[in-house]
Amino acid sequence: MASKSFNTATIARLLSHEDEHGMRRVFMYTFLNEVIRQKRPFPFDCESAQVSPNLMIVDNQGRSIAVEQRRNRLSLTLNDQRSETSPPIEYKGEAYRQVLLDWLIACIRYTSLQPEFRKELTGYAQSIQRRIWLTKVLPVH
């Protein structure tokens, strides 16, 4: 399991409360706190949120988070219909890898009763850690 790539589908699967991981909305709350609120406060109702396969997350108040993940980049567009649209939150390069690693480590803390799933998340985290280490040892230009 741990050999699967950490991609958009993986993120959508973790954020979905309907997935087989059985963690309900824990990973979504963790994503909100570790990835979004580190940069900007954002009111969002994780309990009512629905996640589409293309990573559009919408709560029952009409607030949305559009997640776009590409190679070495994560862009989050937050839309709270009650305020002006703010610029996207961008994580690139090492910051991208570090924020994903921080999120995965936070998620791993909640999986002590699910050893197989914990192993899968640990595999993703180790893969990202290796990429962080390689870019520090062998800078990419």
Side-chain angles (χ1 to χ4, degrees), residues 71-108:
R71 183 181 162 104
N72 292 320
R73 184 173 72 84
L74 183 70
S75 178
L76 305 155
T77 304
L78 312 177
N79 183 356
D80 180 359
Q81 295 178 340
R82 298 174 293 181
S83 63
E84 290 182 21
T85 304
S86 55
I89 297 172
E90 297 278 343
Y91 292 101
K92 297 177 183 176
E94 187 175 338
Y96 159 78
R97 288 182 290 276
Q98 190 62 55
V99 75
L100 288 181
L101 180 61
D102 292 345
W103 177 46
L104 284 170
I105 289 170
C107 290
I108 289 167

Side-chain angles (χ1 to χ4, degrees), residues 120-137:
E120 179 181 350
L121 293 180
T122 300
Y124 291 136
Q126 289 171 340
S127 173
I128 292 169
Q129 282 177 317
R130 278 191 295 277
R131 282 185 250 150
I132 290 171
W133 182 81
L134 285 174
T135 58
K136 287 182 180 181
V137 173

